[in-house]
Coordinates of all heavy atoms in Angstrom, one line a residue:
Chain B
A142 N 44.6 150.0 69.3 CA 45.2 150.6 70.4 C 44.3 151.8 71.0 O 44.2 151.9 72.2 CB 46.6 151.2 70.0
A156 N 35.8 152.9 88.0 CA 36.3 152.2 89.2 C 37.1 153.2 90.1 O 37.7 152.8 91.1 CB 37.2 151.0 88.8
T175 N 46.5 146.3 80.4 CA 46.9 144.9 80.1 C 45.6 144.0 80.2 O 45.5 143.2 79.3 CB 47.9 144.4 81.2 OG1 49.0 145.3 81.3 CG2 48.4 143.0 80.9
E217 N 73.8 148.2 58.1 CA 73.4 148.1 59.6 C 72.0 148.3 59.8 O 71.3 147.7 60.5 CB 74.3 148.9 60.5 CG 75.7 148.5 60.6 CD 76.6 149.0 59.4 OE1 76.1 149.7 58.6 OE2 77.7 148.6 59.4
P263 N 53.7 137.7 92.7 CA 55.0 137.9 93.4 C 56.2 138.2 92.5 O 56.2 137.8 91.4 CB 55.1 136.6 94.2 CG 53.8 136.0 94.2 CD 53.1 136.4 93.0

Side-chain angles (χ1 to χ4, degrees):
Chain B
T175 306
E217 288 82 4

